[in-house]
Amino acid sequence: MTNTILEMKDISIEFPGVKALDKVTFTAKPGSVHALIGANGAGKSTLMKVLAGAYDHFSGEIYLGGNRLSISKPTDSQKAGVQIVYQEVDAALIPTLTVAENIMLQETVQNSGSKQWIHWRNVHKKAASQLEKLNSNISTKRLVSSLTLAEKQMVLLARAISTDCKFLILDEPTAPLSNRETEKLFSVIKKLKEEGVGIIFISHRIPEIVEICDEITIMRNGQVVKRDKVANLTSERIVEWMLGQKLEQQFPEQTPTIGETLLEVEGLSDNTIVKDVYLHVKAGEVVGIAGLVGAGKTELCKALFGDSSKTSGTIKIKGSTVKVKSPHVAVQNGLAFIPEERRKEGLILQESVQTNLVSANLHAFTKALHFLDKKAQKNKSQELIQTLGIKTPSPDTSVHTLSGGNQQKIAIGKWLVSEADIYIFDEPTKGVDVGAKRDIFELIAALAKRGKAIFYASSELSEIVGLTNRVYVLYDGKVTKELSTADTDEQELLYFSTGGH
């Protein structure tokens, strides 16, 4: 495998109104971890989708070991030994099948014919052996629909390494993983590297790139702007190459004016993990909900928004007890929720930017006889596109064609139309580059300045420290500590996040 160098030469591809890649040349070596990075919309994921066979209308050439490949569909790429693990794990798994069936899906489909039997015991045995390589003890008999995000990621990784894999593309692989799970993943990457597998590692987390990667290719606006060994670049220089400018202070200056309590929770529990939670948030305040992956942050956010059934507790909005039985009731009472899984829960992917931006408050664009005012919709969507810096050819562009950072801005922007009073952000910077992160931080600070109350749930403790006024630390579904952010640091938050008392 030592000579199986992967080469992509002069790759170009266009979508309606957008030239996503412009004569991009990319090379990866076996037995090496190659970082592919860039700001949202730079073209890195598009380049890898070309390699994975997701797009067939590109120009340019792809070589593996000196042999030209003809890649027009995913099976072409897989047969050549190229596997990809996408960031959006749900799109790549079949929720109604078991873990084993999902891991061994390709082999089962290839080896089963109309008159052949599937040996399910062998399927489960093989799947378990792949999970064992990842130091994962997920039961192969569980349905994928019952898994957490982190567990789904592990299933996809197990599927990828179950084949004759020469190059493994990992698109934001650590986004849903805890620190401990990330360490396990890195040990697997190192093992695969020793076995001669080439790893293409897409991530916005610069410290991870510095830790695990050997070489780096940086993209901007559909072109390669820098190739080098990771050891030759500092974190600051990597960011500057990504953005094309020096990075300003990441977190905006805040001079909060704290007002009345807008939301108060007493003894809230749900039917999964949230247990006896007490918390509150005031107008103009950004309150952090800190915790590691699996601590219950998402479940708490959904319980607040009426997207899960609470078993006990009360929720008071502006002093009045409200039974938030559904998201509809939550929105009626001035709540907005930006979920962690934006593609699955926060957006209508096949619809336009305009449709998504106005979807949370169609009443504002309804004329007499319940007709929608198309002109008002277009004007408002264009205003939000400009205000939020959403990179899109037009308001009519389908959301699924945009980058992760731009999709996140749309997921947030649709709630600006509703003029909510209380905003709940769940991991809003997941899969978002450093430039788009600052845009999101500025937006949250602006909302707080306008007197909005903000819950900011994140496992990125640096963001909790840099952005919030107060913080509740969650561990195993319980609030273990309430702290003033000015009086704490990442080390203390990590201590309480891991069960410290």
Side-chain angles (χ1 to χ4, degrees):
M1 194 180 289
T2 54
N3 294 321
T4 53
I5 293 175
L6 175 67
E7 299 173 282
M8 303 180 75
K9 297 182 178 180
D10 295 326
I11 304 296
S12 296
I13 191 169
E14 294 187 21
F15 299 97
V18 179
K19 188 159 191 176
L21 297 174
D22 185 11
K23 293 188 178 297
V24 172
T25 294
F26 173 80
T27 302
K29 301 173 184 176
S32 176
V33 184
H34 195 121
L36 179 62
I37 70 168
N40 288 113
K44 56 192 183 300
S45 292
T46 303
L47 182 66
M48 290 299 100
K49 285 181 179 179
V50 167
L51 179 59
Y55 299 132
D56 63 355
H57 64 287
F58 66 92
S59 62
E61 299 173 342
I62 302 174
Y63 293 87
L64 183 62
N67 298 315
R68 184 175 178 179
L69 301 180
S70 176
I71 295 179
S72 60
K73 54 185 181 297
T75 51
D76 294 335
S77 180
Q78 292 161 8
K79 287 177 182 177
V82 178
Q83 294 287 339
I84 184 167
V85 176
Y86 288 110
Q87 177 185 349
E88 306 297 341
V89 295
D90 283 299
L93 294 170
I94 302 174
T96 53
L97 296 184
T98 65
V99 168
E101 289 168 321
N102 271 275
I103 291 174
M104 305 307 298
L105 187 61
Q106 291 171 218
E107 180 180 320
T108 302
V109 170
Q110 290 170 358
N111 294 340
S112 63
S114 59
K115 296 183 180 180
Q116 292 180 342
W117 294 95
I118 296 175
H119 298 284
W120 291 110
R121 183 178 294 178
N122 288 341
V123 169
H124 283 275
K125 186 177 180 180
K126 289 180 180 179
S129 69
Q130 301 305 324
L131 288 168
E132 190 176 338
K133 293 178 184 178
L134 298 172
N135 296 321
S136 175
N137 59 358
I138 303 171
S139 169
T140 61
K141 296 181 180 180
R142 284 178 63 185
L143 288 179
V144 161
S145 59
S146 71
L147 303 181
T148 65
L149 269 177
E151 288 171 333
K152 290 174 183 176
Q153 181 72 278
M154 286 296 174
V155 171
L156 279 180
L157 287 167
R159 180 200 289 176
I161 66 173
S162 70
T163 63
D164 178 22
C165 182
K166 297 181 176 66
F167 283 90
L168 176 61
I169 306 164
L170 301 177
D171 190 359
E172 295 286 348
T174 63
L177 304 184
S178 68
N179 291 341
R180 188 173 182 181
E181 289 163 336
T182 297
E183 290 174 5
K184 289 181 181 179
L185 173 63
F186 283 2
S187 67
V188 171
I189 289 174
K190 290 173 182 175
K191 182 179 178 182
L192 291 172
K193 174 183 169 181
E194 291 172 359
E195 293 173 356
V197 176
I199 311 290
I200 302 172
F201 191 88
I202 303 175
S203 178
H204 290 120
R205 297 177 173 179
I206 307 300
E208 292 181 354
I209 290 169
V210 172
E211 177 183 349
I212 197 69
C213 296
D214 304 302
E215 297 176 284
I216 188 169
T217 295
I218 304 174
M219 296 184 66
R220 188 169 67 244
N221 297 328
Q223 297 180 319
V224 172
V225 294
K226 184 69 173 177
R227 299 184 189 88
D228 210 332
K229 292 183 178 179
V230 173
N232 294 339
L233 298 173
T234 63
S235 298
E236 291 76 14
R237 288 292 290 157
I238 291 173
V239 172
E240 288 172 15
W241 277 108
M242 284 175 62
L243 300 180
Q245 60 187 18
K246 287 184 179 290
L247 180 64
E248 300 174 3
Q249 181 181 348
Q250 189 175 20
F251 299 104
E253 294 289 339
Q254 295 187 66
T255 52
T257 302
I258 308 300
E260 64 174 335
T261 299
L262 293 187
L263 185 143
E264 187 175 4
V265 174
E266 298 175 347
L268 181 65
S269 300
D270 70 356
N271 57 5
T272 54
I273 189 173
V274 179
K275 307 181 189 78
D276 198 31
V277 168
Y278 288 76
L279 50 76
H280 70 276
V281 62
K282 297 181 178 181
E285 188 178 33
V286 183
V287 172
I289 301 175
L292 303 180
V293 172
K297 300 185 302 299
T298 293
E299 291 81 1
L300 175 57
C301 291
K302 289 187 173 183
L304 293 174
F305 195 63
D307 195 21
S308 66
S309 56
K310 69 180 179 67
T311 54
S312 63
T314 59
I315 296 175
K316 293 180 180 179
I317 298 175
K318 297 181 180 179
S320 300
T321 300
V322 178
K323 293 184 178 180
V324 186
K325 294 182 178 180
S326 68
H328 177 69
V329 174
V331 173
Q332 285 183 321
N333 284 275
L335 273 73
F337 178 40
I338 296 85
E340 177 182 13
E341 297 187 70
R342 56 176 174 264
R343 291 174 62 90
K344 183 180 178 183
E345 300 174 341
L347 297 166
I348 311 170
L349 288 177
Q350 301 305 321
E351 293 291 342
S352 67
V353 173
Q354 175 176 304
T355 298
N356 276 271
L357 285 173
V358 302
S359 63
N361 191 15
L362 288 174
H363 291 295
F365 306 97
T366 304
K367 298 188 291 186
L369 301 177
H370 305 290
F371 287 104
L372 289 173
D373 187 338
K374 294 290 186 181
K375 184 176 181 181
Q377 286 181 314
K378 186 173 183 179
N379 290 340
K380 188 62 181 180
S381 63
Q382 287 177 330
E383 176 191 326
L384 287 170
I385 288 168
Q386 185 172 3
T387 301
L388 299 175
I390 299 169
K391 294 181 180 178
T392 176
S394 80
D396 298 320
T397 300
S398 181
V399 166
H400 82 276
T401 66
L402 303 183
S403 68
N406 287 304
Q407 289 179 354
Q408 185 68 306
K409 290 179 182 180
I410 294 168
I412 297 170
K414 74 177 187 182
W415 292 110
L416 301 183
V417 179
S418 71
E419 280 297 328
D421 297 313
I422 303 155
Y423 287 77
I424 305 168
F425 290 85
D426 184 13
E427 299 285 359
T429 62
K430 188 177 98 173
V432 171
D433 70 77
V434 287
K437 277 185 181 182
R438 179 168 176 83
D439 291 341
I440 292 171
F441 298 152
E442 292 277 8
L443 176 58
I444 290 171
L447 287 171
K449 193 173 182 180
R450 287 167 49 195
K452 309 297 183 182
I454 313 290
F455 279 119
Y456 191 91
S458 180
S459 56
E460 299 287 348
L461 301 182
S462 62
E463 294 179 11
I464 295 288
V465 172
L467 194 63
T468 67
N469 308 117
R470 282 187 303 116
V471 56
Y472 294 97
V473 183
L474 224 59
Y475 175 76
D476 195 24
K478 298 179 181 178
V479 173
T480 60
K481 196 72 175 178
E482 178 186 355
L483 297 161
S484 169
T485 312
D487 300 326
T488 189
D489 55 24
E490 290 181 54
Q491 185 175 355
E492 185 178 32
L493 290 179
L494 183 59
Y495 172 73
F496 289 116
S497 295
T498 54
H501 295 282

